[in-house]
Amino acid sequence: MSYSKITITNSLQEGIVVYDAFQNDAQDKNLSNFFGTLTSISKVAAGANQTFEPIHGPISTYIVYDNNYNPITRVFSMGIEAQTFTVTEADVAIMNSTNAFIKLLQDSPSDPQCVAFQAILKGGKGTSKKVNDFFKGTTDYQTCTFISYMLAVVAIARTPETKNKPPQQQVYSLSSLAKYMGFDWPPGIPDVTVSNFNCSENSEAIMVGGKLNINDVTLADGVLAHVLSFLPSPEITFGIEFVYDGGLATGSTCLKFTLDDIKIPIGGGKTFDIDQPTILLSLNPLFKFVVFEVKAEIPFNIFKSPTIDADIAMTIDNIEAEVGVNLKGNTTSLLTPPGIKGLHFDSFGVGLGVIFEPPGFAIGVEGTFHIGNKGQVPLTDDKFAIICEMEEEVPNPVYLSFYVPKLDLSELITLFTNTTINLDLPVSFQDLSFTWAENLMEPLVLPDGSLTKVGYGFSAYMSILDLQFYGYLQIDLSSGISGDITMSPLSFGKLLKLTGNGKAINLKYDVNGNPIPNNTIPKTAAEKKVIANATSKQIIAAGGPSMTLSTSSSPYFSLDAEISLFELVNEKIDAEISKDGISFELDYGAVMETKMQCRLEDYHNFSGKFTYGIDLNVPLPSVAGFSLGSIDLDAACDLGLAISTSTSDVRFGVQGGFTFEGLDLSFGPFNADVNINSISALIDAVGKYVLVHAGDIFKAFILNASKWAGFVKNEVIKGVKDVAQGLKTAFNQSETEVASIMHGVGYGVDEIASGIQNAFSASANEIATALKDGIGASDTVVTAALKGIGFGVQDIATALNSVFGLAPTAIKDILSAAGFADSAIESAFNAIGGAFASAAKSIWHAVTHWDHW
């Protein structure tokens, strides 16, 4: 077939070379193939023209180069009629402007124009229209186009060795092509050279591809040999794309190609056959090598289900092909296994393992589940695994295993009965590993190396009040959940021990100390090796308490344990378990008025309380050298113990209280000696503490002057001979305050006056003032009190005048009534002098001269 001729006119001052850029799809009328298979057409000298007949059609595209094979322009013919194309300096100017823009990209990537342009190309999402629109919106690069940009970057990507060779012989740096076409090339992955570069677009993105030899690609050590064992040829034709979802390649640039089929060796002369796979060479930034992945669609069925199409994604490494499969069709035909009514599968997929060294093959089902009604039991891990055996190329499930990080008891019952109960008790299970076996009479070896139990059940840590038990619990559809679980002996230093007849429990752990879960399909060589190299580690020591759990009837829990506390050793306890703790009684006999009420609150806290009779003579403290006396303490004392542990020590706290003279007094908490080994020693320690801290314990009255004085008056406090002195010295009370306090607690006026005189060395005036102001004593009462403690007429007369403001004549009457002789009064008045002397003269003149009567 012949096509309309094409004429190329060269207006440049140098020769040009014209190449046909062949597009594979002859029916494509949108010119989406920008750079295809190049075939030399003709050379055109400077200022000349050349006519030739197209070798492809009806649409033909041509790329024009200069004599050094640098691109100048790209033109196309619709093949309908003869066409003439003229190559001008304007074309050269466009390429120069384009190269200038690329230099800007190289030198100033943070320039706003460069940032905007890179955003357009990112991930291969740029189209020719987007790029053309971008250039039209610039000031300096309006003549540039996607075509000029593509031609320029392809020229830049040429290797130095092929730069000046004819275009069909040129080899390109793939990392450079990827960079300028919007694809990421991680800096740690070595470059790859490619040939036969092609560039086209669909409605959404630019498509870039070429040819390469798989031997030139940097794969992980040992991978290439396995890849070449199933690739039909080392030379591949690829396309570049950015993967947005699926497999290890997610978020990375990939080289993609397809094959009719591959047959992967799995040992014993067998192969794992995959039809029409898609191969991805992933430039993953997490690695320093290219990741080899295979994707395909395979048919699959299990539990006699209809055939389900599944997507397979396989990553090849040096010892295995790690395979993941997602079901595309019906994902609801996997039935709940018998006996687990509350377990519901939501989705499932196939897990495959193809191992090269050592040869092996694994298959199973993995997926998600829920317990009870959807969302009723929250799960942080909703994955399950069904290990299968191949029977005549059909996978048959042999056991189910799933792991639940945490469930409470109510949720457990929901799981196996699909019903709920409300249990007001803090019970939870951690690290639950469930197993269901198809054949209950033929135990299987689980991934952790243990054997499946007869029947259905799970192993787990049970936390009740933060006490950690471990064991295997059996599940029966009629009687519910039952079994014995045990914990290691519990020790609070030398003070307290909780023991029993519990047996030691061991689990399988990997070399890093991690427990091996049972819900893993060992489909990789590493997983098989981990299981093979697992070692036993004791998680529960022998000799601890054991807990029996049975949900068939209340009480659900019973504890078999013995306790050692003080002089009681290995005492069997009858415990009651509630949300507040494990409670029990200990009987220490007559030393206590009550039995000790004990409670183990959690793994680190024990408390106990009892009542005993405290009998002490307690010296009260001295203040400013004055002893406040002593008391005889004889009361019922309520004592509380608190033993707690941490990672570093044991703390033994004690506190108590009693009633004394109507006052509720308490002491502590204080830290007792952790080596105390008897109740009597504990009581002695409490007594010593009370004696040492009497000032704090009895501060309710020893800091209250009135209470203290009253207790002294009533002989509750003994050993105080001078209460006034105590009030002055210890309580810093004044004469008036002393008088008031002593009067208030029942002391007589004479005692008060005498006390003030002794304590303060007080004068008659000071005593009179204290009595008058402190207790409201009258002049006659003050006179009698002063006379009673030895003050003479003169001191009393002066005090009555000074304190009460009495005139001498009134004072004479008071003194006379108090029994003082007139001569003594007259003598005292004369000695005082002044008004008193005048009064004396007048008074006694009238007495001696009767004519005045």
Side-chain angles (χ1 to χ4, degrees):
M1 179 180 292
S2 61
Y3 302 101
S4 299
K5 292 186 178 182
I6 304 296
T7 299
I8 300 292
T9 298
N10 180 13
S11 67
L12 303 180
Q13 311 234 337
E14 62 174 331
I16 60 173
V17 183
V18 182
Y19 275 79
D20 176 89
F22 173 63
Q23 57 180 331
N24 291 319
D25 187 0
Q27 303 304 315
D28 189 353
K29 300 296 191 294
N30 61 14
L31 301 177
S32 65
N33 187 40
F34 302 113
F35 202 111
T37 303
L38 298 178
T39 304
S40 178
I41 296 296
S42 68
K43 293 184 179 182
V44 184
N49 59 65
Q50 182 71 45
T51 301
F52 57 88
E53 184 176 325
I55 61 175
H56 299 109
I59 297 176
S60 295
T61 58
Y62 305 95
I63 299 177
V64 179
Y65 296 87
D66 64 19
N67 286 329
N68 293 318
Y69 300 113
N70 295 311
I72 298 175
T73 188
R74 172 184 177 271
V75 297
F76 60 89
S77 168
M78 298 302 293
I80 300 173
E81 57 186 17
Q83 286 183 274
T84 298
F85 298 98
T86 302
V87 180
T88 68
E89 288 294 339
D91 296 318
V92 175
I94 291 172
M95 289 305 301
N96 290 339
S97 180
T98 304
N99 284 318
F101 177 73
I102 293 174
K103 190 173 189 308
L104 180 67
L105 288 175
Q106 296 170 339
D107 297 342
S108 304
S110 59
D111 182 277
Q113 293 182 102
C114 297
V115 172
F117 185 75
Q118 294 287 14
I120 291 173
L121 295 183
K122 182 67 176 175
K125 287 293 186 180
T127 62
S128 60
K129 182 179 185 308
K130 292 179 181 178
V131 173
N132 290 335
D133 289 344
F134 168 81
F135 284 130
K136 288 178 183 178
T138 65
T139 301
D140 299 326
Y141 310 104
Q142 288 185 343
T143 61
C144 300
T145 64
F146 173 77
I147 297 298
S148 67
Y149 178 78
M150 182 272 299
L151 293 176
V153 299
V154 172
I156 291 173
R158 294 177 298 189
T159 63
E161 296 80 7
T162 65
K163 181 176 181 180
N164 296 319
K165 290 185 178 181
Q168 70 271 29
Q169 298 177 26
Q170 290 173 357
V171 177
Y172 310 96
S173 161
L174 184 56
S175 65
S176 180
L177 287 172
K179 170 184 175 183
Y180 288 109
M181 301 306 287
F183 298 100
D184 292 328
W185 188 282
I189 296 180
D191 198 2
V192 176
T193 58
V194 300
S195 62
N196 296 90
F197 171 77
N198 60 78
C199 177
S200 60
E201 75 172 338
N202 56 24
S203 60
E204 297 180 351
I206 297 297
M207 314 299 292
V208 177
K211 287 186 178 182
L212 62 79
N213 192 305
I214 195 69
N215 289 290
D216 296 332
V217 177
T218 302
L219 303 173
D221 290 344
V223 172
L224 183 59
H226 294 306
V227 169
L228 292 175
S229 72
F230 59 78
L231 280 185
S233 169
E235 188 174 74
I236 61 174
T237 299
F238 69 92
I240 302 179
E241 68 175 34
F242 188 84
V243 178
Y244 291 92
D245 54 24
L248 190 62
T250 299
S252 64
T253 299
C254 288
L255 312 184
K256 180 178 177 182
F257 62 99
T258 59
L259 296 173
D260 291 334
D261 63 69
I262 57 174
K263 298 180 182 295
I264 301 177
I266 58 174
K270 297 181 179 180
T271 60
F272 178 52
D273 300 343
I274 305 176
D275 294 330
Q276 296 182 329
T278 296
I279 312 296
L280 299 177
L281 301 179
S282 304
L283 309 179
N284 196 304
L286 298 177
F287 305 101
K288 302 298 183 183
F289 52 83
V290 175
V291 179
F292 192 96
E293 292 188 83
V294 178
K295 292 188 175 182
E297 183 179 286
I298 61 172
F300 180 83
N301 59 68
I302 194 171
F303 294 126
K304 299 180 180 180
S305 69
T307 299
I308 302 170
D309 289 331
D311 285 330
I312 176 174
M314 178 173 64
T315 302
I316 306 295
D317 66 22
N318 60 329
I319 59 173
E320 62 200 351
E322 189 168 337
V323 186
V325 182
N326 290 321
L327 303 182
K328 294 177 60 178
N330 180 14
T331 60
T332 60
S333 61
L334 189 63
L335 301 177
T336 298
I340 314 181
K341 294 182 178 180
L343 177 66
H344 308 286
F345 295 124
D346 298 320
S347 64
F348 62 92
V350 182
L352 289 172
V354 181
I355 302 173
F356 302 133
E357 298 177 9
F361 182 76
I363 186 169
V365 176
E366 299 170 312
T368 61
F369 68 98
H370 69 271
I371 297 173
N373 296 326
K374 187 74 172 181
Q376 179 180 0
V377 177
L379 298 172
T380 57
D381 184 347
D382 60 353
K383 306 297 188 298
F384 70 88
I386 298 175
I387 306 300
C388 301
E389 290 181 348
M390 296 300 295
E391 296 181 359
E392 297 181 355
E393 300 182 354
V394 177
N396 179 52
V398 291
Y399 84 88
L400 160 71
S401 179
F402 59 95
Y403 168 82
V404 180
K406 185 174 182 180
L407 287 173
D408 64 30
L409 183 58
S410 298
E411 292 168 338
L412 262 178
I413 294 174
T414 298
L415 171 62
F416 291 103
T417 64
N418 214 22
T419 59
T420 59
I421 66 167
N422 293 318
L423 182 67
D424 189 20
L425 192 63
V427 180
S428 64
F429 295 85
Q430 294 87 30
D431 299 334
L432 300 95
S433 182
F434 293 87
T435 59
W436 165 90
E438 181 187 43
N439 191 334
L440 305 182
M441 303 309 294
E442 296 181 5
L444 298 170
V445 178
L446 298 178
D448 67 356
S450 62
L451 295 176
T452 55
K453 306 289 184 180
V454 175
Y456 312 129
F458 64 95
S459 57
Y461 288 97
M462 186 188 82
S463 177
I464 179 169
L465 308 165
D466 198 34
L467 295 171
Q468 294 288 323
F469 293 81
Y470 190 89
Y472 181 82
L473 295 174
Q474 200 79 9
I475 299 153
D476 186 276
L477 297 183
S478 58
S479 59
I481 303 170
S482 63
D484 293 330
I485 52 178
T486 186
M487 63 178 284
S488 296
L490 178 62
S491 175
F492 288 71
K494 297 180 180 179
L495 273 173
L496 182 148
K497 292 183 180 179
L498 197 66
T499 57
N501 297 318
K503 297 180 180 179
I505 296 178
N506 299 303
L507 284 184
K508 293 282 188 172
Y509 284 76
D510 63 22
V511 293
N512 296 318
N514 301 312
I516 298 177
N518 283 333
N519 67 332
T520 300
I521 297 176
K523 56 184 180 293
T524 68
E527 290 170 351
K528 286 193 172 185
K529 184 177 180 181
V530 166
I531 294 170
N533 295 336
T535 57
S536 293
K537 178 181 176 182
Q538 187 179 84
I539 61 168
I540 300 293
S546 60
M547 183 84 72
T548 298
L549 167 62
S550 175
T551 61
S552 60
S553 61
S554 181
Y556 300 117
F557 298 94
S558 60
L559 183 70
D560 183 8
E562 298 172 350
I563 193 168
S564 299
L565 179 64
F566 301 129
E567 59 262 38
L568 294 183
V569 178
N570 296 334
E571 182 80 1
K572 185 76 173 179
I573 60 174
D574 183 13
E576 178 180 323
I577 303 172
S578 70
K579 64 181 179 180
D580 297 323
I582 299 175
S583 303
F584 52 91
E585 290 183 341
L586 294 177
D587 190 353
Y588 287 86
V591 70
M592 297 180 180
E593 294 182 6
T594 63
K595 294 180 180 179
M596 183 185 293
Q597 303 298 314
C598 303
R599 186 169 70 217
L600 186 62
E601 298 173 11
D602 54 40
Y603 196 76
H604 297 287
N605 295 279
F606 168 87
S607 63
K609 59 182 180 180
F610 62 90
T611 301
Y612 76 101
I614 188 170
D615 187 4
L616 292 172
N617 178 263
V618 182
L620 301 177
S622 295
V623 179
F626 183 86
S627 171
L628 295 179
S630 64
I631 60 172
D632 291 328
L633 177 61
D634 185 5
C637 180
D638 297 322
L639 199 65
L641 316 178
I643 304 174
S644 61
T645 63
S646 66
T647 55
S648 58
D649 62 359
V650 177
R651 293 180 296 277
F652 182 18
V654 179
Q655 62 181 358
F658 49 81
T659 300
F660 178 78
E661 294 295 323
L663 299 173
D664 292 327
L665 305 179
S666 61
F667 57 88
F670 66 91
N671 293 324
D673 187 351
V674 295
N675 294 310
I676 289 176
N677 58 10
S678 68
I679 289 295
S680 58
L682 174 62
I683 290 174
D684 288 344
V686 171
K688 292 177 182 178
Y689 182 86
V690 170
L691 295 178
V692 171
H693 296 84
D696 290 329
I697 297 171
F698 297 100
K699 63 184 178 181
F701 62 84
I702 63 176
L703 295 181
N704 186 310
S706 295
K707 282 188 177 296
W708 176 81
F711 283 173
V712 172
K713 174 69 170 112
N714 297 322
E715 297 186 353
V716 174
I717 295 177
K718 298 179 172 57
V720 178
K721 296 181 179 180
D722 192 343
V723 68
Q725 183 67 49
L727 290 171
K728 174 198 172 188
T729 303
F731 296 95
N732 197 30
Q733 302 294 295
S734 66
E735 294 95 325
T736 300
E737 290 168 334
V738 169
S740 175
I741 291 171
M742 291 184 67
H743 179 265
V745 299
Y747 284 98
V749 177
D750 291 345
E751 291 178 293
I752 295 171
S754 176
I756 292 173
Q757 182 185 34
N758 293 333
F760 294 93
S761 300
S763 65
N765 275 7
E766 292 169 334
I767 296 172
T769 299
L771 294 176
K772 174 178 175 291
D773 294 343
I775 66 175
S778 65
D779 48 13
T780 57
V781 171
V782 170
T783 300
L786 291 175
K787 180 182 180 183
I789 60 176
F791 282 99
V793 177
Q794 184 176 334
D795 290 334
I796 297 174
T798 301
L800 291 174
N801 175 254
S802 174
V803 174
F804 290 94
L806 299 178
T809 54
I811 293 173
K812 186 268 178 186
D813 295 338
I814 293 172
L815 293 174
S816 296
F820 287 103
D822 286 345
S823 60
I825 296 172
E826 181 181 12
S827 175
F829 277 22
N830 286 326
I832 296 172
F836 278 89
S838 298
K841 182 178 180 180
S842 174
I843 293 170
W844 273 274
H845 175 78
V847 170
T848 57
H849 297 80
W850 55 269
D851 58 308
H852 285 271
W853 292 85

